[in-house]
Amino acid sequence: MERETLIIPARINAGVFRRFALYDTFVRQGRWRSPALFAGILGAAAAVCLLMRQRREGAALLGGVLLAVGLGLPVFYVLNYLWSVRKQGKQLDGSRIAYTLHLREEGLLALAGQERAECPWSQIFLACRDRGCIYIYVNARRAFLLPDCEQTEAAWALLQEKLPEEKRRDRR
């Protein structure tokens, strides 16, 4: 017996977009590592300078500068990223349908105006259920968002059925 197609209109608001952007950048891609490594290296160099302040003139100043740069640049990077996400999110109020997803027996079909994207289940990169939304990645760089609605549980059940466990993440 063939399952009925789930048709889900996706209304993306700023909150859903912000949660997705933070998950995608810092959790899935792990882009927190470089700023943390930078801060750690400069922090260690600052600690060495501060320990040597008794023996070398100017070591305390150099240690302070290294610590300020080591902490300041990563904080600036994160704040700049958050500002960019906020700016993009302001354009999304959730009243307009961004696209309509059709979860079918053979795969995913996304329709947005005249644009059409199809992806069989075997080619789905990842599906992640997060608080308030499901993210369906058709490849490493493109995802469709399914904000919570009446069909969310049915959509997640279908994704669990069609995708192997290594292509699913449940963060609820």
Side-chain angles (χ1 to χ4, degrees), residues 2 10 31 37-38 45 57-58 118 163:
E2 192 165 310
R31 289 177 56 189
L37 181 63
F38 180 81
E57 193 175 315
E118 288 188 71
L163 299 176

Side-chain angles (χ1 to χ4, degrees), residues 2-117:
E2 192 165 310
R3 175 180 277 191
E4 186 177 313
T5 298
L6 286 174
I7 300 172
I8 306 170
R11 298 178 192 272
I12 314 294
N13 63 30
V16 166
F17 176 74
R18 182 176 47 254
R19 278 192 303 276
F20 166 72
L22 293 174
Y23 164 77
D24 186 59
T25 301
F26 294 114
V27 176
R28 189 183 73 81
Q29 295 180 39
R31 289 177 56 189
W32 60 271
R33 290 182 187 106
S34 294
L37 181 63
F38 180 81
I41 290 170
L42 266 64
V48 169
C49 287
L50 292 173
L51 290 172
M52 293 177 50
R53 71 180 180 264
Q54 300 292 335
R55 288 187 241 158
R56 301 230 184 230
E57 193 175 315
L61 177 62
L62 178 60
V65 169
L66 288 173
L67 188 60
V69 170
L71 296 176
L73 283 179
V75 167
F76 176 76
Y77 167 78
V78 171
L79 290 176
N80 189 47
Y81 177 76
L82 293 174
W83 176 78
S84 171
V85 168
R86 184 171 181 227
K87 185 178 172 185
Q88 291 175 37
K90 282 185 177 182
Q91 300 170 1
L92 305 167
D93 63 3
S95 64
R96 198 175 121 263
I97 296 174
Y99 43 80
T100 303
L101 292 178
H102 297 248
L103 301 178
R104 308 174 302 176
E105 193 63 32
E106 58 274 6
L108 170 97
L109 169 65
L111 301 172
Q114 299 299 324
E115 293 183 48
R116 176 185 177 102

